[in-house]
Amino acid sequence: MNDVDMAPIWQANWSENKPEGIAPIWLDWLLEAGSLTARLQRTGRAFSLNLVRQQDIELPAFLQQRWHTGRGLLREVVLLLDQQPCIYAQSFLPDHTVSALQPLATLGAVPLGHYIFTQPELSRSAIEIADFAEGLQLPGLGVLPQLWGRRSYFTLSQHELLVQELYLPALTEFIRI
């Protein structure tokens, strides 16, 4: 289907509804309206980013339909606190967004949030949440226990991208549960 093996987390049961039975602290983190990178940095722990992959791909079918293009950029990163993987992020950018917003194609180990949350014409869709059953396998992280994730579409100067973030088990060490 695609040029690259990617975790098909877009196939989850995403919903704008608040999940029942979720701890309030998790809900607070999942519904964070600002930069998740900035929130992680505010924990006072050593923040770093591991660029897992960034490459041109054939977009998943639902994004091809939404964006009227077949190609785009896949960016996968892991955000770490004190060298512990806390967030796995997968971003999709259609080719026309990459062309219009060239800095997005050359971020390397710079967090996406450092760029998009400084843009004056930034808008964000509703945050959707999903529960991932035990057994999901992510690049560089192996098979994982049950996880929560969120996704939303960002629009910068009329150009859209999708960001999906999964909250990894080590995050519990750095937030109050």
Side-chain angles (χ1 to χ4, degrees), residues 53-103:
R53 172 177 25 212
Q54 181 170 310
Q55 68 188 88
D56 183 55
I57 62 160
E58 178 183 338
L59 292 168
F62 83 102
L63 290 175
Q64 289 184 30
Q65 292 171 352
R66 182 179 181 107
W67 293 330
H68 308 289
T69 186
R71 306 290 305 170
L73 185 70
L74 168 66
R75 178 177 163 87
E76 293 176 293
V77 302
V78 176
L79 306 178
L80 304 100
L81 292 176
D82 292 346
Q83 299 301 310
Q84 297 296 313
C86 291
I87 303 289
Y88 166 83
Q90 184 182 66
S91 304
F92 292 97
L93 298 83
D95 53 6
H96 47 79
T97 294
V98 174
S99 294
L101 302 169
Q102 199 60 60

Side-chain angles (χ1 to χ4, degrees), residues 2 11 15 35 42 55 67 75 92 101 103 137 141 159 161 171:
N2 289 327
Q11 296 174 349
S15 175
S35 166
R42 287 193 304 269
Q55 68 188 88
W67 293 330
R75 178 177 163 87
F92 292 97
L101 302 169
Q137 187 165 353
L141 298 171
H159 297 281
L161 59 128
L171 184 60

